[in-house]
Amino acid sequence: MPAPTLTAQLLNGFAAGLLLISFSMLSQRRTRALITLFAWQGAILFASTSLVAYSAGLRHLWYSAALTLVLKVFLLPFILLRLVRRLEAQWDTETLLNIPTTMLLGVGLVIFAFGLAQPISALATTITRNTLGIALAIILLAFLMMITRRKAVTQVVGFLAMENGLFFAATSATYGMPMVVELGIALDVLVGVLILGIFFFQIREQFESLDLHHLETLKED
Amino acid sequence: MSSLGVARQVGAVLLAIALAPLFMGWIAQCRAWLQNRSAPPLFLPWRMLRKLFWKDAALAEHASALFRATPYVLFGTMVLAAAIIPSVVLDLPFVLVADAIALVGLFATARVFIALAAMDIGTAFGTLGARREMMIGFLAEPALLMVFFNAFLISGSTALPTIAARLAAPPFVIYPSLAFAGIAFVMVLLAENARIPIDNPATHLELTMIHEAMVLEYSARHLALVEWASALKLFNYACIGFALFVPWGLASQHASPGTLLLAVVALVLKLALAGAALAVVETVSAKLRIFRAPEFLAMAFLLAVLGLLVHLLLGA
Amino acid sequence: MIIGWNSGPAPSLVLLLGLIAGWLGLGLAGLLRPHSVGFVARVIFPVGALVGLAVGLVGLGALRPGSLPQTLVLPLGLPDLPFHLRLDALAGFFVLLLGAAGMGISIFAAGYFRAGQGTAPGLLCLQYHVFLASMALVLLADDAYLFMVAWETMALSSYFLVTTQHRIPEIRRAGFLYLLIAHVGAIGILLSFGVLQGGSWRFTFDAMRGQTLGPAWASVAFLLALGGFGAKAGLVPMHVWLPEAHPAAPSPVSALMSGVMLKTAVYGFLRVSFDLLHAPQWWWGGVALAVGLGTGLFGAVFAAVQTDMKRLLAYSSIENVGLIFTAVGLGLLFQSFGLHLFAALALSAALIHALNHALFKSLLFLATGSVLHATGERNLGKLGGLIRRMPWVATVALVGTLAIAGLPPLNGFVSEWLLLQAFLSTPEIPQPFVNMLVPLGAAALALTVALAGYVMVKFYGVIFLGQPREPALAEAHPAGWLERIGLTWLALGCVVLGAFPRLLLDAAAPITASLVGATVRRGRFAWAIAPIAPERASYSGLLFLAGILGVVGFTFLAVRRIYHGRVRRTAPWDCGYPWQTPRMQDTAEGFGQPIRHIFGSAFRLERELPSPWDTAPRYRIHIEDRLWRLLYVPLGRAVQRLADAVAVVQGGRLAVYLLYAFLTLIGLLVFVL
């Protein structure tokens, strides 16, 4: 087996790093650490997008990379951390499932995603095709994190991580989405976080807690 | 299997036996510096061993032969483990006898013996320690095995010197799976060697102890051997880590005495760095509640398994 | 077809038949003086043990390189289906296992059985030897009829042995459960043979080998065989009889059932899936692998929380059977992808683990028998400190404990090492999804093996170490000399096979050659094994043992020489706490507590906790298998409902019954004419 090129190796390394961070997020109980991890995920995403942009010589990917850097590494974590501080919601000790079980489910999801991505990546021609399975796994893991958490802030982080996975999937399968779509998504995410931030204050005012478990009482019996 | 090979093998083992207590001393020094205390001397573990060996052994009146034999078995297994982990030279004839799986078995043997010895006297603390040690062990052992499986997938061998040689061979390749395995390995190392966050090597509070609770009944030369064996165990783990993740600087089969000396220097440097890093980890983290420990180790285990999956997807 | 002695020379087979007849004769001889323990135990059982040794040697002979399968047709059986017998390498290996384990168990039994309630010694002796003989016949059978006859004889004789203490209701209940599941399994096997004959209506194994079944029918036969043999072997979810029957049976019987009888199920499964069915499909291997791993993990987890020493060992047997089926499944998987060398490796691991398990599990069951006799106690909570009262039993039990925990350099490690090596070859499987699932299997296997270590530390530590938990234990008497010989024989087997793993690979080689068409490489050196390639992995039990003994001995001498060997005996230190009592030690429940905590969702727990103000505090915990409520209780209820529905036809009036008979007669006449 000839050794893959350095670029491909680095990309694989970044993909593995993203997956590792996804799992760390899955096993992280503290909200602030979770947000820091999210920022790191953005940083790796920035690095890998830049690398793809450099090696494939695509200019629009440079823009996406810059957008990732500004939005996901600095702006969103900053907003979220401020939110957490203002809401005093630094702990999310209670997960619905215990952490090893969640991780085990996560491993199952990874296998599922890899199996699913196998035929697709066989068709793709990009140098990043191997990483499609990982991108898929990151999306599913973020989803799993949203399912198993109770607090509103962690749900938002999970949602954002899912968006990261989608972005990574797009880069690895087709060298990214068209610029317009990407800008649109970025704006959506930003506005979404702001709106959710307002929501949090409302929720807390209503229930004096950010535990989403209270929302269950809203339904009429 | 040349006689020169055997001589180097014996030399490497003797070096391990001699360096292991110093490594402990170095970690203690680094910890003290990081915590703004004045550091104990580097050779303190050696002096302690010497003092212990000269003392009369106090033995519980109903201690069985198993209890008395265990320190020797512990020391023996750790010395044997040092014989199959490449620390200075790659050319270890004893590798034909035992590979990485046997190494895991060797560690397991040591663990079973110390747990049994702890139960032998029949004190509350001893059995408590044995139970906790086995709890840590049954999760750490498969995690360690999975780390070795990761290395196997890359190198196609379960013999540690071969793994180290193949990983070190040019060209340099980034193995993403080794990142997972590396984190898992560090977690296993901390748990298996009774370090923070699983156990506190410096604690004197019986209820929080694991390793110390098991060896409470040992004294004098028995205690010295047990402590020496623990030092060797940490040293062995460190050398496993070097062989898997920084496999450079080991002397090959036809190395000249000069290169051999260089390899020893490289080992000492690596140990110094690893010791400092360990001290940092131990200073910045707090001890976990005992029932967080399975969670910690389950994470290590799953990370190592993930490494296997990542390798199969990306590497193959 | 010619009925009579077949023309080919079959000296070993004839000899083996003679030995089996010898066992039956010995059993009958027990009826001569059925109530004399002295005659039955001290005369017949030792002779039976010698017969066992001879049986083992004949089995070993069938494993010599170049020895051909021997066949024989007996003038017995059905008119058009006489008894066919065959001794090939596969049968020979299991005959060796039967003989080697049977020898140790019989010698032990000679010292073990005493007068008491329950079955008379003479009758017990008959049942015991019929059990041995029927197991040998199962291994030699070469047609479905003889196989089923021997199989059922085996089930019945062991049922009677389990219910030796038949005056105790729980034991009768355990026996009934065992018989029930044994028969459900037997139906599965029978149906599997029915499918295997493939419309030819010839029931010799030779004819079945010649059949080529379509993939669908072959899968049906495979699944029926897995279910049928799995019921006997104790695969989840058909494991429920093991933890009930083993504590009920006398210890030598438990040893024989767990050590040998479970292996006949492994033999049958190997015979069907590798020999009678050719061209396995890959998912067969996947199913067997998954069931095996699930069983292994299940057994290990449940063994860790048991408080009865024989139940603990029964769950440990479930775990080990799971490991064996894991290896077999892996072999099927490799074979289906044409990776014959790796299939041979996995199959060798399965065979070797079967033999190893026969040795160390028998040893441990017999050791519990000695403990039971010495103390009258099976409950781990009331034992402890026996290493000082029964040093011999404690020493051999330590060997068994270390072996079953899979620690080098004993024999348990060899099979685990081979199995892990086989797992390491799975990336060679060309199907991408399968080779990705297998690392999870390797992880589950590693976890199971490590848990086995936990279980065995608990077993040994609680029984033999610590302080006696009851004052009565101070009167425990050491085992008799016959018991010691039996135990030592089995322990020696564990040590020797661990030191010379090459012997094991050599024994497995002719079997893998005939079943999967490859043998593992055995390397340059007689003292080391390197099944794939020496630069990949090699292991040497002998040098490992020598290394440990050498270093330990050298250290001991060096410490004595340089320093001193002075010892002062004092009270235990225990952090200076002087009022230490044996009740402060960890109990079996306490030792299993982490497992209960970690795998909590696997159990159904019932707890009774004392309140702080209790003057006589009571702590009770009851652990139940979830499968019992999820599967067996509903199943039992469904059967009951069905039976109630059918019971309508049971009016109790004679005229109605006569009407049924009459209608049946009319119906048959209409059908026939």
Side-chain angles (χ1 to χ4, degrees), chain B residues 285-298:
Chain B
S285 53
K287 190 176 166 302
L288 290 172
R289 276 199 300 137
I290 190 80
F291 273 113
R292 288 272 186 251
E295 215 165 77
F296 180 84
L297 285 163

Side-chain angles (χ1 to χ4, degrees), chain B residues 1 49-50 52-66 68-69 72-77 79-80 84 94-99 101-106 108-109 111-113 115-117 119-128 130-132 134-135 137-139 141-143 145-146 148-149 152-153 156-159 162 166 206 209 216-217 220-222 225 291 294 301-302 305 308-309 312-313, chain C residues 387-388 398 401-402 405-409 413 416-417 420-421 423-425 427 435-437 439-440 442-444 446-447 449-451 453-454 456-458 460-462 464-467 469 524-525 527-529 534-541 543-544 547-548 551-552 555-557 559-560 562-575 577 580-582 584-586 590-595 597-599:
Chain B
M1 205 192 311
L49 288 179
R50 202 182 113 81
L52 283 175
F53 271 121
W54 279 117
K55 287 195 164 193
D56 282 11
L59 215 57
E61 54 227 344
H62 53 273
S64 71
L66 180 73
R68 299 181 71 171
Y72 297 98
V73 174
L74 287 183
F75 189 74
T77 48
V79 168
L80 217 55
I84 50 179
F94 202 67
V95 155
L96 282 175
V97 173
D99 64 348
I101 300 176
L103 179 66
V104 176
L106 208 50
T109 310
R111 176 167 49 243
V112 165
F113 266 95
L116 288 178
M119 294 178 85
D120 185 55
I121 306 294
T123 59
F125 289 126
T127 43
L128 175 135
R131 182 215 308 181
R132 289 178 172 176
M134 290 315 288
M135 178 184 84
F138 96 84
L139 285 163
E141 187 186 319
L145 207 53
M146 288 300 118
F148 285 135
F149 278 22
F152 172 86
L153 286 184
S157 170
T158 55
T162 321
R166 291 201 183 150
E206 295 90 344
M209 300 190 297
L216 275 176
E217 300 297 326
R221 60 174 182 278
H222 299 129
L225 282 169
F291 273 113
F301 182 45
L302 289 173
V305 174
L308 294 179
L309 292 174
L312 286 175
L313 186 84
Chain C
I387 193 171
R388 288 175 277 279
L398 181 64
T401 301
L402 298 178
L407 300 178
F413 178 74
E416 260 158 35
W417 189 82
L420 285 170
Q421 287 291 342
F423 257 110
L424 283 176
S425 311
N435 72 12
M436 230 180 280
L437 285 173
L440 282 192
L447 189 59
V449 169
L451 261 174
Y454 188 102
M456 291 331 288
V457 166
K458 168 177 168 171
Y460 192 82
V462 173
F464 292 105
L465 302 177
Q467 297 175 41
R469 288 182 176 76
R524 276 178 301 157
F525 309 111
W527 43 264
I529 53 172
E535 64 273 10
R536 177 172 142 163
S538 71
Y539 168 71
S540 164
L543 289 187
F544 199 100
I548 287 219
V551 176
V552 168
T555 314
F556 180 76
L557 291 178
V559 168
R560 285 292 163 103
I562 301 173
Y563 302 103
H564 56 92
R566 290 193 295 272
V567 164
R568 190 159 48 86
R569 292 282 182 170
T570 59
W573 157 235
D574 198 30
C575 295
Y577 186 74
Q580 157 84 19
T581 71
M584 293 177 188
Q585 302 172 86
D586 241 3
F591 206 84
Q593 192 261 354
I595 303 291
H597 188 94
I598 296 170
F599 295 97

Side-chain angles (χ1 to χ4, degrees), chain A residues 2-212:
Chain A
T5 60
L6 186 65
T7 317
Q9 280 182 34
L10 277 175
L11 276 176
N12 283 350
F14 287 142
L18 284 176
L19 189 64
L20 194 58
I21 288 187
S22 284
F23 266 92
S24 320
M25 287 168 92
L26 210 52
S27 65
Q28 185 54 258
R29 283 201 174 81
R30 292 171 203 183
T31 311
R32 296 187 64 153
L34 202 61
I35 296 169
T36 317
L37 281 172
F38 169 72
W40 276 106
Q41 200 179 33
I44 296 183
L45 205 55
F46 162 70
S48 82
T49 317
S50 313
L51 188 65
V52 175
Y54 170 76
S55 68
L58 295 168
R59 211 173 52 169
H60 78 259
L61 272 183
W62 281 114
Y63 296 136
S64 326
L67 199 61
T68 309
L69 185 68
V70 173
L71 200 61
K72 290 175 187 157
V73 184
F74 296 114
L75 196 54
L76 286 177
F78 175 73
I79 294 175
L80 285 170
L81 281 177
R82 257 180 73 97
L83 259 178
V84 167
R85 208 171 307 132
R86 298 264 311 268
L87 291 166
E88 287 166 2
Q90 310 193 350
W91 294 87
D92 187 18
T93 40
E94 282 183 47
T95 49
L96 287 180
L97 284 170
N98 68 20
I99 298 231
T101 316
T102 320
M103 297 261 296
L104 199 60
L105 281 177
V107 171
L109 284 181
V110 170
I111 293 180
F112 175 71
F114 284 6
L116 211 61
Q118 202 89 47
I120 308 173
S121 38
L123 289 176
T125 50
T126 53
I127 55 163
T128 47
R129 64 196 160 143
N130 277 346
T131 53
L132 188 61
I134 291 193
L136 211 52
I138 293 168
I139 299 171
L140 296 179
L141 288 173
F143 216 132
L144 182 66
M145 191 177 96
M146 286 181 73
I147 294 172
T148 54
R149 297 307 166 98
R150 284 190 178 172
K151 294 278 161 70
V153 182
T154 35
Q155 298 242 318
V156 172
V157 176
F159 170 73
L160 292 172
M162 197 150 71
E163 204 275 329
N164 273 352
L166 277 171
F167 183 81
F168 188 61
T171 2
S172 50
T174 60
Y175 287 147
M177 293 171 273
M179 203 57 219
V180 185
V181 180
E182 223 156 79
L183 275 175
I185 292 178
L187 202 62
D188 274 359
V189 167
L190 191 60
V191 172
V193 168
L194 292 177
I195 292 177
L196 283 169
I198 298 167
F199 251 64
F200 290 162
F201 283 101
Q202 292 297 327
I203 293 175
R204 202 174 65 135
E205 226 147 81
Q206 200 72 32
F207 302 111
E208 306 206 323
S209 147
L210 273 180
D211 199 327
L212 293 184

Side-chain angles (χ1 to χ4, degrees), chain B residues 15-284:
Chain B
L15 187 70
I17 294 174
L19 278 185
L22 288 185
F23 186 43
M24 288 295 233
W26 167 245
I27 296 172
Q29 265 190 338
C30 287
R31 266 169 59 128
W33 287 328
L34 283 169
Q35 294 161 359
N36 264 338
R37 292 183 280 126
S38 55
L42 187 62
F43 284 85
L44 185 67
W46 263 113
R47 280 191 224 154
M48 193 194 71
L49 288 179
R50 202 182 113 81
K51 189 178 80 181
L52 283 175
F53 271 121
W54 279 117
K55 287 195 164 193
D56 282 11
L59 215 57
E61 54 227 344
H62 53 273
S64 71
L66 180 73
F67 184 80
R68 299 181 71 171
T70 295
Y72 297 98
V73 174
L74 287 183
F75 189 74
T77 48
M78 288 309 146
V79 168
L80 217 55
I84 50 179
I85 302 168
S87 53
V88 180
V89 286
L90 279 171
D91 168 36
L92 300 174
F94 202 67
V95 155
L96 282 175
V97 173
D99 64 348
I101 300 176
L103 179 66
V104 176
L106 208 50
F107 285 138
T109 310
R111 176 167 49 243
V112 165
F113 266 95
I114 190 157
L116 288 178
M119 294 178 85
D120 185 55
I121 306 294
T123 59
F125 289 126
T127 43
L128 175 135
R131 182 215 308 181
R132 289 178 172 176
E133 170 80 0
M134 290 315 288
M135 178 184 84
I136 302 293
F138 96 84
L139 285 163
E141 187 186 319
L144 183 62
L145 207 53
M146 288 300 118
V147 170
F148 285 135
F149 278 22
N150 267 304
F152 172 86
L153 286 184
I154 294 167
S155 63
S157 170
T158 55
L160 279 167
T162 321
I163 293 176
R166 291 201 183 150
L167 285 176
F172 173 73
V173 182
I174 301 172
Y175 294 107
S177 61
L178 277 189
F180 288 83
I183 296 176
F185 177 77
V186 171
M187 292 167 90
V188 171
L189 181 147
L190 293 173
E192 279 274 54
N193 290 287
R195 317 297 302 188
I196 291 175
I198 299 298
D199 191 4
N200 187 352
T203 188
H204 289 285
L205 190 62
E206 295 90 344
L207 281 174
T208 64
M209 300 190 297
I210 301 176
H211 177 78
E212 288 297 314
M214 289 193 295
V215 303
L216 275 176
E217 300 297 326
Y218 278 118
S219 59
R221 60 174 182 278
H222 299 129
L223 184 61
L225 282 169
V226 170
E227 291 300 331
W228 206 342
S230 334
L232 260 172
K233 187 174 178 189
L234 184 60
F235 180 89
N236 283 336
Y237 263 89
C239 286
I240 295 172
F242 300 151
L244 295 184
F245 306 109
V246 270
W248 301 282
L250 293 166
S252 67
Q253 197 169 352
H254 309 291
S256 62
T259 346
L260 222 65
L261 198 67
L262 216 61
V264 174
V265 173
L267 173 70
V268 171
L269 276 179
K270 284 191 239 177
L271 282 174
L273 283 176
L278 195 59
V280 170
V281 169
E282 288 203 283
T283 309
V284 299

